[in-house]
Amino acid sequence: MKRLYISLTLLISFFSFANCGDGTPVIESIDGNKITTASFESALDTALDTLSRTQNIEKKNVIKFLTEEESKVPQSFLQLRNEFRKRKFFDRYHEMMVVKAAADKSGFSKRSDIKEILKFQEMQLIYGMYVAEQIESRIKITEQELNQGCQELRTKYKQAESLTLEQCYDAARAQIKGRKSEEVYKSVLDRIKETVAIKHNDKFDLEKYLDKEFSFAELSKEESPKVEETKAPEVSPPAPAPEATK
């Protein structure tokens, strides 16, 4: 299984405040924004769904990896497993809500540079999830493929011999899905592009523009030669006055 580079902080960094009136007990209020048991549990479910979509792992398997014995959990999931424990998740969720409230109050969230960063992160997240969902709709895995994949795993890896049939099928499904995802990725991307109207500016020489490397203003400032300090001309001390003739 591929290594997971996503963290709990990233998963819940896109959550928004909600002044909840859902009828469930209020845990606490942060600058008037209530955290209820329902909103907290909904945040956990959203984080699990985000992890599932961004890592292309079925949600039921994510939950299974977070609740099974550690010996049965892939190494890449062990750190996230600890972060998703109820107390740890609440502590991080509470901390981020508090910091976000402070950031909003100080005007940090309204700064143009911060808005641009958030916009770029949102675009990355939507790209990954939408492409993954479109790929998922194109992949069909038969019972025969699962059975064959399971047999190959048991033959290739000794530890796979101790897996139950369901576990073996899950592992085989993940491998088959990964392989098929690579096979259909380009065609899925081409199909997505067909749904969008793209109009190129014929007057703009894109190739010429792309041939030139980026020019970074910050780097230019650092590399600009320092202006030498202008030194005042050295002045010779005045000659001593001639002694008076005695």
Side-chain angles (χ1 to χ4, degrees), residues 180-244:
K180 289 192 174 186
S181 294
E182 292 180 2
E183 293 172 356
V184 303
Y185 173 77
K186 187 178 184 306
S187 61
V188 165
L189 208 57
D190 289 341
R191 182 67 61 86
I192 291 174
K193 290 176 182 177
E194 290 174 1
T195 66
V196 179
I198 302 175
K199 186 177 181 181
H200 300 286
N201 180 6
D202 295 332
K203 296 181 180 179
F204 182 76
D205 192 337
L206 180 60
E207 292 302 318
K208 182 178 180 181
Y209 171 73
L210 294 178
D211 282 340
K212 294 179 65 177
E213 293 296 333
F214 282 115
S215 176
F216 298 99
E218 292 82 358
L219 193 60
S220 300
K221 290 178 183 177
E222 290 180 5
E223 293 181 348
S224 59
K226 294 181 179 180
V227 179
E228 294 185 3
E229 295 181 3
T230 305
K231 295 183 179 179
E234 294 183 4
V235 179
S236 301
E243 294 183 2

Side-chain angles (χ1 to χ4, degrees), residues 49-238:
D49 195 32
T50 307
L51 179 61
S52 168
R53 290 171 179 271
T54 55
Q55 299 300 315
N56 196 22
I57 304 171
E58 289 186 43
K59 191 174 179 180
K60 68 173 186 177
N61 287 333
V62 172
I63 295 172
K64 189 182 297 182
F65 291 148
L66 295 175
T67 55
E68 280 188 335
E69 296 177 13
E70 287 194 8
S71 59
K72 298 180 181 179
V73 177
Q75 188 70 29
S76 56
F77 252 89
L78 289 179
Q79 185 177 353
L80 275 178
R81 175 189 174 92
N82 293 329
E83 291 188 6
F84 270 97
R85 295 192 185 284
K86 194 172 186 179
R87 186 178 299 277
K88 182 72 176 288
F89 186 89
F90 178 78
D91 288 345
R92 180 62 61 83
Y93 181 67
H94 160 83
E95 186 177 88
M96 293 188 69
M97 295 287 269
V98 169
V99 172
K100 185 179 185 303
D104 290 346
K105 188 180 292 187
S106 69
F108 178 84
S109 308
K110 294 182 179 180
R111 278 173 32 185
S112 59
D113 57 334
I114 301 304
K115 285 183 177 180
E116 288 301 313
I117 291 172
L118 292 175
K119 188 197 303 183
F120 187 74
Q121 284 192 324
E122 180 187 32
M123 184 167 60
Q124 285 183 309
L125 196 60
I126 289 175
Y127 172 90
M129 291 194 298
Y130 186 68
V131 171
E133 186 172 280
Q134 296 305 304
I135 288 175
E136 181 81 18
S137 67
R138 291 277 301 275
I139 293 177
K140 306 298 178 187
I141 302 175
T142 65
E143 188 77 17
Q144 183 179 356
E145 286 177 311
L146 286 177
N147 184 55
Q148 183 180 344
C150 179
Q151 293 302 321
E152 290 175 357
L153 285 174
R154 293 189 190 280
T155 303
K156 192 173 182 180
Y157 302 104
K158 188 172 181 61
Q159 58 267 38
E161 295 176 2
S162 60
L163 297 176
T164 65
L165 185 61
E166 183 184 359
Q167 291 171 334
C168 192
Y169 271 22
D170 284 341
R173 184 180 290 105
Q175 286 204 343
I176 296 169
K177 184 185 290 187
R179 185 177 66 249
K180 289 192 174 186
S181 294
E182 292 180 2
E183 293 172 356
V184 303
Y185 173 77
K186 187 178 184 306
S187 61
V188 165
L189 208 57
D190 289 341
R191 182 67 61 86
I192 291 174
K193 290 176 182 177
E194 290 174 1
T195 66
V196 179
I198 302 175
K199 186 177 181 181
H200 300 286
N201 180 6
D202 295 332
K203 296 181 180 179
F204 182 76
D205 192 337
L206 180 60
E207 292 302 318
K208 182 178 180 181
Y209 171 73
L210 294 178
D211 282 340
K212 294 179 65 177
E213 293 296 333
F214 282 115
S215 176
F216 298 99
E218 292 82 358
L219 193 60
S220 300
K221 290 178 183 177
E222 290 180 5
E223 293 181 348
S224 59
K226 294 181 179 180
V227 179
E228 294 185 3
E229 295 181 3
T230 305
K231 295 183 179 179
E234 294 183 4
V235 179
S236 301

